[in-house]
Amino acid sequence: MNKKLSMLLPVIATCGLLAGCGTDYYTKDSTVFVAKNGSVVSTDVEDFDTATYKQDDLQSYVDKSIDDYNKKNDGSVKLKKLTVEKKKASLTMSYASTDEYTDFNGTKLFSGTIAEALAAGYDFKTDFAAIDDGKAKKCETSEFLDENGYKVVIYEGSSNLHVKGKILYASVDNVKLVDDNTVAIGDKYSMLASQPTGTESVTEGTEAVKSDATEGTENGADDSVSDDDILNSVKEDNEVTFDFDSDEDNSVPVSYVTYVIYK
């Protein structure tokens, strides 16, 4: 989501970072799902102060933000689902491309071949690990930079990252392997110190969405989320507004630059 929208959930919660998922995706960790064609589905969740705010207020704000963006940019951002349950707000959205995700959220996300990433200015100047049978081993970039058949996702955020394919290499710092398709991102992680245990909560979600968030988007972004999935809100005259232009210091989620190479 864009920077103002991304700050909405922490403001409502008056705490912390995004750390969850949308109901449709059955994952307990915020996750960005990237299909091979570059379309994206993202899911975020945050504590929601139901004593202070109403779901309708959040619904109206999200709907307006998406509508304004799409009208201004001829965009195709869609709200798949927004729910508030047990004081948790879950938000699932789809984007036609990684460029649209980047533009709307203010969070960089790239998907393409390694050659396309190099041409776009990404230098791959970080430590990498090769992934084999769920185990990570430090490697040199020379092992994969010239491989034409590999795809790469480069993400500057703090959500988990799921790709449609088997992860072969990944950057080491702040990254943890969850399963063959997913990495977790955080300041306490290192690819060389982490191995998948099969118990991470995101595993449920990535298994559940293999045919939904990724395979479904292979045929184009319009197929990834149908019009029936979009939740339309009724805007009221007494709609709550959220002021992000004040001088008040708002917490901003920490982000990291993560490379994932897969096939």
Side-chain angles (χ1 to χ4, degrees):
M1 64 193 85
N2 59 34
K3 289 183 178 179
K4 287 188 176 183
L5 184 56
S6 68
M7 295 180 71
L8 172 60
L9 294 178
V11 167
I12 291 175
T14 66
C15 71
L17 305 181
L18 297 175
C21 76
T23 304
D24 286 351
Y25 289 85
Y26 307 109
T27 173
K28 296 180 181 179
D29 300 288
S30 289
T31 304
V32 175
F33 301 89
V34 182
K36 284 187 176 180
N37 68 350
S39 58
V40 179
V41 173
S42 67
T43 309
D44 294 291
V45 71
E46 182 55 89
D47 294 337
F48 188 89
D49 186 358
T50 55
T52 304
Y53 298 97
K54 297 180 180 179
Q55 179 176 347
D56 288 346
D57 298 330
L58 178 58
Q59 179 81 59
S60 296
Y61 184 88
V62 172
D63 284 342
K64 185 177 186 303
S65 296
I66 292 173
D67 188 54
D68 289 348
Y69 174 86
N70 285 338
K71 286 180 178 178
K72 182 179 180 180
N73 300 279
D74 193 23
S76 56
V77 177
K78 294 180 180 179
L79 172 63
K80 183 173 176 65
K81 194 166 187 179
L82 171 63
T83 61
V84 176
E85 296 178 354
K86 297 180 180 179
K87 297 185 178 181
K88 292 284 184 180
S90 297
L91 179 65
T92 300
M93 300 174 64
S94 71
Y95 311 83
S97 66
T98 53
D99 286 342
E100 186 169 73
Y101 174 92
T102 296
D103 192 30
F104 187 81
N105 286 297
T107 301
K108 290 184 180 180
L109 180 66
F110 172 91
S111 176
T113 65
I114 293 176
E116 288 170 340
L118 291 169
Y122 294 100
D123 57 20
F124 291 79
K125 290 183 179 178
T126 188
D127 292 332
F128 281 89
I131 313 299
D132 184 21
D133 195 24
K135 297 180 180 179
K137 182 179 180 180
K138 190 173 182 178
C139 70
E140 300 297 327
T141 56
S142 57
E143 288 191 22
F144 58 80
L145 279 183
D146 294 329
E147 290 289 341
N148 294 326
Y150 291 170
K151 300 272 289 185
V152 60
V153 171
I154 305 167
Y155 173 55
E156 297 187 20
S158 56
S159 295
N160 285 7
L161 183 62
H162 176 91
V163 297
K164 176 56 180 174
K166 185 176 181 180
I167 297 174
L168 303 177
Y169 302 90
S171 51
V172 169
D173 295 338
N174 307 309
V175 181
K176 176 183 178 180
L177 186 66
V178 175
D179 58 34
D180 286 345
N181 315 100
T182 313
V183 295
I185 301 170
D187 58 4
K188 295 181 180 179
Y189 297 149
S190 171
M191 182 61 74
L192 297 178
S194 66
Q195 303 299 332
T197 65
T199 60
E200 282 83 354
S201 56
V202 72
T203 304
E204 285 184 65
T206 56
E207 290 298 324
V209 302
K210 282 182 180 178
S211 61
D212 185 1
T214 54
E215 291 179 5
T217 54
E218 293 281 351
N219 296 322
D222 289 340
D223 294 332
S224 64
V225 181
S226 67
D227 291 340
D228 292 338
D229 288 327
I230 303 175
L231 304 180
N232 297 313
S233 68
V234 178
K235 297 179 175 59
E236 302 176 356
D237 293 338
N238 60 347
E239 179 182 41
V240 174
T241 59
F242 301 93
D243 182 11
F244 298 100
D245 297 322
S246 66
D247 294 329
E248 183 180 354
D249 182 25
N250 293 308
S251 61
V252 178
V254 177
S255 62
Y256 312 90
V257 180
T258 301
Y259 291 76
V260 170
I261 294 93
Y262 67 102
K263 186 175 182 181

